[in-house]
Coordinates of all heavy atoms in Angstrom, one line a residue:
K1 N 77.9 57.0 130.3 CA 76.6 57.2 131.0 C 76.7 56.6 132.4 O 77.5 55.7 132.6 CB 75.5 56.5 130.2 CG 75.4 57.0 128.7 CD 75.0 58.4 128.7 CE 74.7 58.8 127.2 NZ 75.9 58.9 126.4
P2 N 75.8 57.0 133.3 CA 75.8 56.5 134.6 C 75.3 55.0 134.6 O 75.1 54.4 133.6 CB 74.8 57.4 135.4 CG 74.8 58.6 134.6 CD 75.0 58.2 133.2
I3 N 75.2 54.5 135.8 CA 75.1 53.0 136.0 C 73.7 52.5 135.9 O 73.5 51.3 135.8 CB 75.6 52.7 137.5 CG1 75.9 51.2 137.6 CG2 74.6 53.1 138.5 CD1 77.1 50.8 136.8
G4 N 72.7 53.3 135.9 CA 71.3 52.9 136.0 C 70.9 51.8 135.1 O 70.3 50.7 135.6
I5 N 71.1 51.9 133.8 CA 70.6 50.9 132.9 C 71.3 49.6 133.0 O 70.8 48.5 132.9 CB 70.7 51.4 131.4 CG1 69.8 50.6 130.5 CG2 72.1 51.5 130.9 CD1 68.3 50.6 130.8
H6 N 72.6 49.7 133.4 CA 73.4 48.5 133.6 C 72.9 47.7 134.8 O 72.8 46.4 134.8 CB 74.9 48.8 133.8 CG 75.5 49.5 132.6 ND1 75.7 48.8 131.4 CD2 75.9 50.7 132.4 CE1 76.2 49.6 130.6 NE2 76.4 50.8 131.1
W7 N 72.5 48.4 135.9 CA 71.9 47.7 137.0 C 70.6 47.0 136.7 O 70.3 45.9 137.1 CB 71.7 48.7 138.2 CG 73.0 49.0 139.0 CD1 74.2 48.3 138.9 CD2 73.1 50.0 140.0 NE1 75.1 48.9 139.7 CE2 74.5 49.9 140.4 CE3 72.3 51.0 140.5 CZ2 75.0 50.8 141.4 CZ3 72.8 51.8 141.5 CH2 74.1 51.7 141.9
L8 N 69.8 47.7 135.9 CA 68.5 47.1 135.5 C 68.7 45.9 134.6 O 68.0 44.9 134.7 CB 67.7 48.2 134.8 CG 67.2 49.3 135.6 CD1 66.5 50.4 134.8 CD2 66.2 48.8 136.7
Q9 N 69.7 46.0 133.6 CA 69.9 44.9 132.8 C 70.5 43.7 133.6 O 70.2 42.5 133.3 CB 70.9 45.3 131.7 CG 70.3 46.2 130.6 CD 71.3 46.7 129.6 OE1 72.5 46.4 129.7 NE2 70.8 47.5 128.6
A10 N 71.4 44.0 134.5 CA 72.0 43.0 135.4 C 70.9 42.3 136.2 O 70.9 41.1 136.4 CB 73.1 43.5 136.3
A11 N 69.9 43.1 136.7 CA 68.8 42.5 137.4 C 68.0 41.5 136.5 O 67.6 40.4 137.0 CB 67.9 43.6 138.0
S12 N 67.8 41.9 135.3 CA 67.1 41.1 134.4 C 67.8 39.8 134.1 O 67.2 38.7 134.1 CB 66.9 41.9 133.0 OG 66.2 41.1 132.1
V13 N 69.2 39.9 134.0 CA 70.0 38.7 133.8 C 69.9 37.8 135.0 O 69.8 36.6 134.9 CB 71.4 39.1 133.5 CG1 72.4 37.9 133.5 CG2 71.6 39.8 132.1
W14 N 69.9 38.4 136.2 CA 69.9 37.6 137.4 C 68.5 36.9 137.5 O 68.5 35.7 137.9 CB 70.0 38.5 138.6 CG 69.9 37.8 139.9 CD1 70.9 37.0 140.5 CD2 68.8 37.7 140.8 NE1 70.4 36.5 141.7 CE2 69.2 36.9 141.9 CE3 67.5 38.3 140.7 CZ2 68.3 36.7 142.9 CZ3 66.6 38.0 141.8 CH2 67.0 37.2 142.9
V15 N 67.4 37.6 137.2 CA 66.1 36.9 137.2 C 66.1 35.8 136.2 O 65.4 34.7 136.5 CB 65.0 37.9 136.9 CG1 63.7 37.3 136.7 CG2 64.9 39.0 138.1
S16 N 66.7 35.9 135.1 CA 66.7 34.9 134.0 C 67.4 33.6 134.5 O 67.1 32.5 134.0 CB 67.3 35.3 132.7 OG 68.7 35.4 132.8
G17 N 68.4 33.8 135.4 CA 69.1 32.6 135.9 C 70.2 32.1 135.0 O 70.8 31.0 135.2
E18 N 70.5 32.8 133.9 CA 71.4 32.3 132.8 C 72.8 32.9 132.9 O 73.6 32.6 132.1 CB 70.8 32.5 131.5 CG 69.5 31.7 131.3 CD 69.0 31.7 129.8 OE1 69.8 31.2 129.0 OE2 67.9 32.1 129.5
G19 N 73.0 33.9 133.8 CA 74.3 34.4 134.0 C 74.8 35.1 132.7 O 74.0 35.7 132.0
N20 N 76.1 34.9 132.5 CA 76.7 35.6 131.3 C 76.3 34.9 130.0 O 76.7 35.3 128.9 CB 78.2 35.7 131.4 CG 78.9 34.3 131.4 OD1 78.2 33.3 131.5 ND2 80.2 34.4 131.4
Q21 N 75.6 33.8 130.1 CA 75.0 33.1 128.9 C 73.6 33.6 128.5 O 73.0 33.1 127.6 CB 75.0 31.6 129.1 CG 76.4 31.0 129.4 CD 77.4 31.3 128.3 OE1 77.1 31.0 127.1 NE2 78.6 31.7 128.6
A22 N 73.1 34.6 129.2 CA 71.8 35.1 128.9 C 71.7 35.6 127.5 O 72.6 36.4 127.1 CB 71.4 36.2 129.9
P23 N 70.6 35.3 126.8 CA 70.5 35.8 125.4 C 70.2 37.3 125.4 O 69.9 37.9 126.4 CB 69.3 35.0 124.9 CG 68.5 34.7 126.1 CD 69.5 34.5 127.2
L24 N 70.3 37.9 124.2 CA 70.2 39.4 124.1 C 68.8 39.9 124.6 O 68.8 40.9 125.2 CB 70.4 39.8 122.6 CG 70.2 41.2 122.3 CD1 71.2 42.1 123.0 CD2 70.3 41.4 120.8
W25 N 67.8 39.1 124.3 CA 66.5 39.6 124.7 C 66.3 39.9 126.2 O 65.5 40.7 126.6 CB 65.3 38.7 124.2 CG 65.3 37.3 124.8 CD1 65.8 36.2 124.3 CD2 64.6 37.0 126.0 NE1 65.6 35.1 125.1 CE2 64.8 35.6 126.2 CE3 63.8 37.7 126.9 CZ2 64.3 34.9 127.2 CZ3 63.3 37.0 128.0 CH2 63.5 35.6 128.2
V26 N 67.1 39.1 127.0 CA 67.0 39.3 128.5 C 67.5 40.7 128.8 O 67.0 41.4 129.7 CB 67.8 38.3 129.2 CG1 68.0 38.6 130.7 CG2 67.2 36.9 129.0
Y27 N 68.6 41.2 128.1 CA 69.1 42.5 128.3 C 68.1 43.6 127.8 O 68.2 44.8 128.3 CB 70.4 42.7 127.6 CG 71.6 41.8 128.2 CD1 71.7 40.5 127.8 CD2 72.5 42.4 129.1 CE1 72.7 39.7 128.3 CE2 73.5 41.6 129.6 CZ 73.6 40.3 129.2 OH 74.7 39.5 129.6
R28 N 67.3 43.2 126.9 CA 66.3 44.2 126.4 C 65.1 44.4 127.2 O 64.3 45.4 127.0 CB 65.9 43.8 125.0 CG 67.0 43.9 123.9 CD 66.6 43.3 122.6 NE 67.5 43.7 121.5 CZ 67.5 43.2 120.3 NH1 66.6 42.2 120.0 NH2 68.4 43.6 119.4
I29 N 64.9 43.5 128.2 CA 63.6 43.6 129.0 C 63.5 45.0 129.7 O 62.4 45.5 129.7 CB 63.6 42.4 130.0 CG1 63.3 41.1 129.2 CG2 62.5 42.7 131.1 CD1 63.3 39.9 130.1
P30 N 64.5 45.6 130.3 CA 64.3 46.9 130.9 C 63.8 47.9 129.9 O 63.0 48.8 130.3 CB 65.7 47.2 131.5 CG 66.3 45.9 131.7 CD 65.9 45.0 130.6
S31 N 64.3 47.9 128.7 CA 63.8 48.8 127.7 C 62.3 48.6 127.4 O 61.5 49.6 127.2 CB 64.6 48.7 126.4 OG 65.9 49.1 126.7
L32 N 61.9 47.4 127.3 CA 60.5 47.1 127.1 C 59.7 47.6 128.2 O 58.6 48.2 128.0 CB 60.3 45.5 126.9 CG 58.9 45.0 126.8 CD1 58.3 45.5 125.5 CD2 58.9 43.5 126.8
I33 N 60.1 47.3 129.4 CA 59.4 47.8 130.6 C 59.3 49.3 130.6 O 58.3 49.9 130.9 CB 60.0 47.3 131.9 CG1 59.8 45.7 132.0 CG2 59.4 47.9 133.1 CD1 60.6 45.1 133.1
G34 N 60.5 49.9 130.3 CA 60.5 51.4 130.3 C 59.6 52.0 129.3 O 58.9 53.0 129.5
A35 N 59.5 51.4 128.1 CA 58.6 51.9 127.1 C 57.1 51.8 127.5 O 56.3 52.7 127.3 CB 58.8 51.2 125.7
I36 N 56.8 50.6 128.0 CA 55.4 50.4 128.5 C 55.1 51.4 129.6 O 54.0 52.0 129.7 CB 55.1 49.0 128.9 CG1 55.3 48.1 127.6 CG2 53.8 48.8 129.6 CD1 55.2 46.6 127.9
A37 N 56.0 51.5 130.6 CA 55.8 52.4 131.7 C 55.7 53.9 131.2 O 54.9 54.6 131.7 CB 57.0 52.4 132.6
A38 N 56.4 54.2 130.2 CA 56.3 55.6 129.6 C 54.9 55.9 129.1 O 54.4 56.9 129.2 CB 57.4 55.8 128.5
V39 N 54.3 54.8 128.4 CA 53.0 55.0 127.9 C 52.0 55.2 129.0 O 51.1 56.1 129.0 CB 52.6 53.8 127.0 CG1 51.1 53.8 126.6 CG2 53.5 53.8 125.8
L40 N 52.1 54.3 130.1 CA 51.2 54.4 131.2 C 51.4 55.8 131.9 O 50.4 56.4 132.3 CB 51.4 53.3 132.2 CG 50.8 51.9 131.8 CD1 51.2 50.9 132.8 CD2 49.3 52.0 131.8
L41 N 52.6 56.2 132.1 CA 52.9 57.4 132.8 C 52.4 58.6 132.0 O 52.1 59.7 132.6 CB 54.4 57.5 133.1 CG 54.8 56.6 134.2 CD1 56.3 56.5 134.3 CD2 54.3 57.0 135.6
T42 N 52.5 58.5 130.7 CA 51.9 59.6 129.8 C 50.4 59.8 130.1 O 49.9 60.9 130.1 CB 52.2 59.3 128.3 OG1 53.6 59.3 128.2 CG2 51.6 60.4 127.5
I43 N 49.7 58.6 130.2 CA 48.3 58.7 130.5 C 48.1 59.4 131.8 O 47.3 60.3 132.0 CB 47.7 57.3 130.5 CG1 47.8 56.6 129.1 CG2 46.2 57.3 131.0 CD1 47.4 55.2 129.1
W44 N 48.9 59.0 132.8 CA 48.8 59.6 134.2 C 49.1 61.1 134.1 O 48.5 61.9 134.7 CB 49.7 58.9 135.1 CG 49.9 59.5 136.5 CD1 48.9 59.5 137.5 CD2 51.0 60.2 137.0 NE1 49.4 60.2 138.6 CE2 50.7 60.6 138.3 CE3 52.3 60.5 136.5 CZ2 51.6 61.3 139.1 CZ3 53.2 61.2 137.3 CH2 52.8 61.6 138.6
M45 N 50.2 61.4 133.4 CA 50.6 62.8 133.3 C 49.5 63.6 132.6 O 49.0 64.7 133.1 CB 51.9 63.0 132.4 CG 52.4 64.4 132.1 SD 51.6 65.1 130.6 CE 52.2 64.0 129.4
A46 N 48.9 63.1 131.5 CA 47.9 63.8 130.8 C 46.6 64.0 131.6 O 45.8 64.9 131.4 CB 47.6 63.1 129.5

């Protein structure tokens, strides 16, 4: 797959300040944001 999700996860890790010791939930933040954004954008689309 292309690079997009890795850049978003890396940005989340950078924001956390924990580097390669960042826990799993930090890597999951882009998915959480994506799901919430999808709900909001579905409202906008509809």
Side-chain angles (χ1 to χ4, degrees):
K1 303 295 186 292
I3 198 70
I5 196 64
H6 298 290
W7 281 349
L8 293 172
Q9 290 175 356
S12 181
V13 170
W14 179 79
V15 170
S16 77
E18 299 193 55
N20 65 352
Q21 300 301 311
L24 175 63
W25 65 265
V26 172
Y27 293 84
R28 288 174 168 170
I29 287 175
S31 294
L32 176 65
I33 293 173
I36 294 174
V39 172
L40 280 174
L41 289 166
T42 296
I43 298 172
W44 173 71
M45 177 273 298

